Amino acid sequence: MKRIDGGICSVAGVRAAGARAGKYGVALIAASGAAAAVFTTNKVRAAPLDVTGEHLQATAGHLEGIIANSGCANAFTGQRGHDDARMMARLLAGFLGVEEKQIAMASTGVIGRYLDMDLIARLSEEAGSRLRSAPDASAEAARAIMTTDTRIKEIAVEHNGLHVAGIVKGAGMIEPNVATMLCFLFTDADLPAHALQDCLKDAVKESFNMLTVDGDMSTNDTVLLTATGRAKGKVEDLRAALLFVCVELARMMAKDGEGASKCFETVVTGAMNEKDARLAAKAVAKSSLVKTAVYGADPNWGRIVCALGYSGAEVDPDSITLGLEGSGLDVTLVQKGKIVEGVLDSAQRIMKGDAIIIRIDLGLGTAGARSFGCDLTHEYVNINANYTT
Amino acid sequence: MKRIDGGICSVAGVRAAGARAGKYGVALIAASGAAAAVFTTNKVRAAPLDVTGEHLQATAGHLEGIIANSGCANAFTGQRGHDDARMMARLLAGFLGVEEKQIAMASTGVIGRYLDMDLIARLSEEAGSRLRSAPDASAEAARAIMTTDTRIKEIAVEHNGLHVAGIVKGAGMIEPNVATMLCFLFTDADLPAHALQDCLKDAVKESFNMLTVDGDMSTNDTVLLTATGRAKGKVEDLRAALLFVCVELARMMAKDGEGASKCFETVVTGAMNEKDARLAAKAVAKSSLVKTAVYGADPNWGRIVCALGYSGAEVDPDSITLGLEGSGLDVTLVQKGKIVEGVLDSAQRIMKGDAIIIRIDLGLGTAGARSFGCDLTHEYVNINANYTT
């Protein structure tokens, strides 16, 4: 897996642009090809998700472009929200000279407000005139859809002749089954929509769905994959590259979690089955007490054990082995249920680092999983107590 | 339901005392009678819960007294933890001249540490010499088991000739199915253990199990009810009084939640069934984004709708009615899925108050539930980032 520069514009056939005005931003991406999508499972689902879903169904998974805005989620907006979402599609379809149903759309921002369509039209016009295939165009599109994100998040890789790249937006409301994150992925692989959907589903499962910032699941999460078909390649190579890209984007999101000062990963092994491994890894990443302990560099591992106990996974306290890795150190705190004495100083040194791995062997089977989390800080409270309605 | 003074010592036959030394505290309560218990459902369960469970089984639900300590949870401590828990029971049994199996015990504090039994013996000795039936004795016992609590929490009521009273400890790790809360309830009702268990289970379900501070479920939660049998009374009167007492204690805990500056209640109606009502009410109470919005007095009701959407309950966005009550105001923000315009100023005035009711009608059925929560504040992060291991 070779990292390359250029963001999504490193994939042949992808053009991008973005424009901002205050809290509002609009990103346009033109890329023609087979497409796949994964959406939030929240029952309150924003209008653009419904409309994008309809479009993908109508075209059997083919897209010509994506239009996305920040500033307003267009969620819980009823019929008017649907009309506005369709209008967004028409804006980009007009620029590209394609059909409305060949456009996907996405929104992020405050829930329960109507879109400012005049502003979106103006920003789309501005961005549309700049659509181009250039490294700074990828960054510009990524920047246009940032909300509480503090930095743009993009990646591109080359793997056995295939290219896969993505931009992602998301820093809060990040939890099970994708959360206000908008992620736009591109590849030059010449593969049909159903193969893309299969690879995308698996990649999301091991990456974004194992990411927790605050346990809140958004109404707007959207992951879109478009394949421009310019390169011949194997499904397995796409699968591997896509997983790599999604995991790296998930890590970037954990690092840029709202108010986060550091991130941590929880690696679970020895679970009875995959479901248990995922439950255990997620419960630790999600625990407010673990997250504040990471912030305070406090090796209070009892909180980790406690989270395992209520995770829903099968656990036996006497079988648990627990350790920490980071800052060049690796300590075992609990060995098959027995407290290891004299290691708290080393544990604290690891906890003071900014990249911590919590290692858990449940000792019951052979299944494993990895979750991505970040600390819970004063700044998280600042951001979310003062986020204006 | 008449509130009375005196805490648990207002119930005939209850004596109490407490002693503290630094982070450690020991509470002793002597009360002879039929007993019932509810424990955490965390699979990592502290030693005192196992031993207390054994004791209640051995006596078919009869207790002579309770010994509880703060400072160390005696959780994840293996065989030594069980031995220590039994030693605690022996300490109080010795004072009271009763059998070890007639004693319940409870612990709260750091997980994964062994008890300082010398200190517990010394504090028990000190408290044991002061065991008495006096209003300040109830407060003394309540104070002895405080950890991050900022005030003692006790209540006593008289209802149709029956008395019910309780003390509770708990401010963090408070979540589903009881959390490090220790709650000791007493009544003079002359009722058998199975009737007590039934009333207790129901009361806990509607009170402590609907309380959320941080979403972490403790290894040590314990609710014990002892009936001294000095008064004749009906099961239904006990049920009503017990529910009242438990709900009031839950409210006190929400108000004293770690770092909380204000509390809120979520009242759900119109759910398809009781399970859905409870899921919906709990999801709102638990959402970090709702909790920070309450802290910031931000009427960002989209976060409430969002939490309903991922709660697991059946919801239809077009059927939701949503309002806020407090500070003498009552506003409807959403009426059957339609955004009500022009009410955000009133909503903000309510959010600035320190007691907020979030009113949700799902519009799908007739079931309802109420949850108890508190805001997520800078002080929560302070407390938990700096809580020493």
Side-chain angles (χ1 to χ4, degrees), chain A residues 43-80:
Chain A
K43 282 181 182 150
V44 178
R45 201 166 99 140
L49 286 70
D50 287 343
V51 179
T52 297
E54 285 167 21
H55 285 188
L56 285 169
Q57 202 151 21
T59 61
H62 176 92
L63 285 180
E64 289 292 332
I66 299 167
I67 176 168
N69 77 282
S70 56
C72 173
N74 193 10
F76 211 76
T77 44
Q79 186 54 45
R80 180 165 158 189

Side-chain angles (χ1 to χ4, degrees), chain A residues 42-43 112 173 216-217 287-289 292 295-296 298-300 303 306 309-310 313 339 378 381-382 384-385 387 389, chain B residues 42-43 112 173 216-217 287-289 292 295-296 298-300 303 305-306 309-310 313 339 378 381-382 384-385 387 389:
Chain A
N42 195 312
K43 282 181 182 150
M173 253 200 194
D216 271 277
M217 185 207 292
S287 159
S288 291
L289 290 170
T292 46
Y295 180 41
D298 182 353
N300 192 341
R303 295 176 175 182
C306 176
Y310 67 68
I339 302 170
H378 290 99
V381 178
N382 278 344
N384 284 299
Y387 191 89
T389 45
Chain B
N42 194 312
K43 282 182 182 149
M173 252 201 197
D216 270 278
M217 186 208 292
S287 159
S288 291
L289 290 170
T292 46
Y295 180 42
D298 183 354
N300 193 339
R303 295 178 176 181
V305 170
C306 175
Y310 66 69
I339 301 171
H378 291 99
V381 178
N382 279 343
N384 285 299
Y387 190 87
T389 47

